[in-house]
Amino acid sequence: MIIGAARMQHLFRRIAGINVDKNDLKRVSDLISDKLHDLLLMAERAAAANGRDVITEADLPLTAGFQRSLQAFRDLEEEIELRPVLERMATYPPLDRTLSAEVEAMLPDLAGALLLIIANSLKILDPEVENPLPEHWDRLELLLELTL
């Protein structure tokens, strides 16, 4: 998992007042990993288009909303470890470009921003949700596929 179970449960409660159970944790971890990988793939394309072998922060396709979520996660002063994020990213096909040290250092905060986006999106999809049901997760996945 990209973020430990207890940590992820704590963050969901803190961010959106949502309780996630053990069945939800793998799904959330997979969503975060997949969307983080998607961001890196798009960043790789930008670096290639600019003739660089290294992916820099400027290559990351971070919308204004994503940047606000990134800052909101940083403002929580919660930390996610880099090692599990790197280990999870290593399970995907390797990128053709190298991550800059700056981008690599950002990976935990990017994962945290994605967790924040997921938690807040669940609340937007159903303001009353406290314990997400499978249909909540299904709608969220569809939304993320359209937007990230």
Side-chain angles (χ1 to χ4, degrees):
M1 289 221 314
I2 203 162
I3 301 168
R7 184 90 159 140
M8 193 179 301
Q9 289 173 319
H10 163 76
L11 287 168
F12 262 87
R13 279 192 301 275
R14 183 167 180 207
I15 292 165
I18 295 174
N19 298 310
V20 289
D21 62 29
K22 299 233 185 263
N23 294 327
D24 299 330
L25 297 177
K26 180 180 179 345
R27 196 166 190 172
V28 172
S29 188
D30 289 347
L31 273 172
I32 291 170
S33 300
D34 289 347
K35 293 298 125 195
L36 184 56
H37 184 252
D38 288 349
L39 283 172
L40 295 176
L41 286 175
M42 294 300 98
E44 180 178 56
R45 288 182 66 193
N50 289 309
R52 288 192 318 284
D53 292 333
V54 176
I55 298 170
T56 66
E57 182 178 357
D59 296 318
L60 294 169
L62 304 181
T63 63
F66 195 103
Q67 289 178 8
R68 284 190 293 274
S69 294
L70 183 60
Q71 188 56 53
F73 178 75
R74 288 174 174 159
D75 290 346
L76 290 174
E77 297 183 359
E78 297 275 357
E79 294 204 15
I80 294 173
E81 292 181 40
L82 176 60
R83 184 188 47 75
V85 177
L86 289 174
E87 288 173 357
R88 188 63 185 260
M89 290 298 98
T91 66
Y92 290 86
L95 299 171
D96 293 332
R97 303 278 187 279
T98 304
L99 300 180
S100 69
E102 177 184 35
V103 170
E104 186 173 295
M106 286 179 69
L107 291 177
D109 285 349
L110 293 171
L114 286 164
L115 186 142
L116 190 136
I117 289 166
I118 289 167
N120 286 328
S121 294
L122 281 170
K123 269 303 196 193
I124 290 168
L125 290 170
D126 182 353
E128 304 300 319
V129 70
E130 290 180 14
N131 299 296
L133 300 170
E135 54 264 23
H136 290 112
W137 294 112
D138 293 342
R139 282 184 284 192
L140 175 68
E141 285 183 37
L142 291 172
L143 178 66
L144 293 177
E145 280 302 312
L146 287 172
T147 58
L148 293 177

